[in-house]
């Protein structure tokens, strides 16, 4: 509202604020403050999520049958980034990772270049690890370590030999190759170089692994698989409640 004043030949107007005007101003200030605080909280949460995923723990989904029967298509699992050392970031972006909600991409975040620096924890045969695929570093693979640095690994008629001695292989299964290829049934002796590990999928007939493209640099390991936190059967539909919480061995 306005209050008018007559001064000589001139009239001036003075704006006055009513209680309703004051309420509107206060309400607007509260809305702006709430929006600002919400935006700050979202940004902080996003930064923390990226840091946690990069340095501490990350979730992965199994898309293929290469690790059956240990891991099935539709299994969701957590991977520890601190099992063997620390992820050290480097300048550069490998690619972009999409964050989805109900099957729709919400936003993209950069995949920061990093290398794993061993600091503690020994990489052992039998460990299930996630690593960047040497052929395409924007892709993550999950396999089982079968040979460590300095060991000579050989496959004879599906049996695995380490330094000339056959080893127990409780995880390997053979379901037959869908293409009828038996290339992986035999593998000539190969000595794993320092700084590398030799990996294989548990579903030996249907795994594209070190038998075909060579060893994995230790620096490219992202972490060790811990446990399944969610599992869904996409073909039959429904959750696999019996798999939730299973420790990966």
């Amino acid at each position: 509202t306005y209050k008018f004043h007559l001064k000589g030949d001139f009239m001036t107007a003075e704006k006055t604020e009513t209680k309703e005007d004051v309420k509107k101003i206060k309400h607007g200030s509260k809305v702006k403050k709430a929006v600002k605080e919400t935006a700050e909280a979202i940004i902080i949460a996003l930064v923390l999520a990226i840091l946690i995923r990069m340095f501490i723990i990350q979730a992965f989904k199994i898309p293929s049958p290469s690790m059956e029967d240990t891991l099935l298509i539709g299994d969701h699992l957590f991977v520890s980034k601190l099992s063997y050392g620390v992820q050290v970031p480097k300048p550069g972006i490998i690619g972009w990772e999409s964050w989805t909600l109900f099957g729709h991409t919400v936003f993209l975040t950069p995949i920061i270049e990093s290398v794993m620096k061993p600091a503690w924890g020994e990489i052992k045969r039998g460990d299930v690890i996630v690593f960047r695929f040497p052929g395409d570093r924007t892709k993550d693979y999950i396999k089982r370590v079968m040979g460590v640095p300095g060991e000579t690994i050989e496959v004879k008629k599906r049996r695995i030999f380490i330094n000339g001695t056959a080893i127990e292989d409780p995880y390997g299964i053979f379901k037959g190759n869908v293409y009828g290829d038996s290339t992986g049934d035999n593998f000539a002796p190969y000595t794993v170089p320092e700084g590398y590990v030799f990996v294989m999928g548990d579903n030996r007939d249907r795994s594209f692994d070190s038998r075909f493209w060579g060893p994995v640099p230790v620096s490219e390991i992202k972490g060790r698989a811990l446990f399944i936190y969610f599992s869904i059967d996409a073909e039959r539909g429904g959750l696999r409640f019996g798999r939730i919480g299973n420790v990966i061995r």
Side-chain angles (χ1 to χ4, degrees), residues 153-182:
I153 186 169
E154 181 180 8
V155 181
K156 296 180 181 178
K157 297 180 179 180
R158 296 182 172 180
R159 293 205 66 186
I160 299 175
F161 292 78
I162 298 294
N163 298 329
T165 303
I167 65 170
E168 293 295 324
D169 183 21
Y171 303 104
I173 62 171
F174 301 89
K175 295 187 174 183
N177 193 296
V178 292
Y179 303 107
D181 184 10
S182 60

Side-chain angles (χ1 to χ4, degrees), residues 62 64-72 127-129 142-144 171 173 200-204 206-207 243 248-249:
I62 302 301
S64 76
S66 69
M67 281 296 292
E68 291 179 351
D69 288 334
T70 303
L71 298 171
L72 307 179
D127 288 356
V128 177
I129 63 171
I142 183 166
K143 306 290 180 186
R144 189 180 299 276
Y171 303 104
I173 62 171
M200 297 172 67
D202 288 351
N203 189 354
R204 299 291 154 71
R206 304 180 186 182
S207 174
R243 297 186 62 76
I248 299 170
R249 295 185 175 88

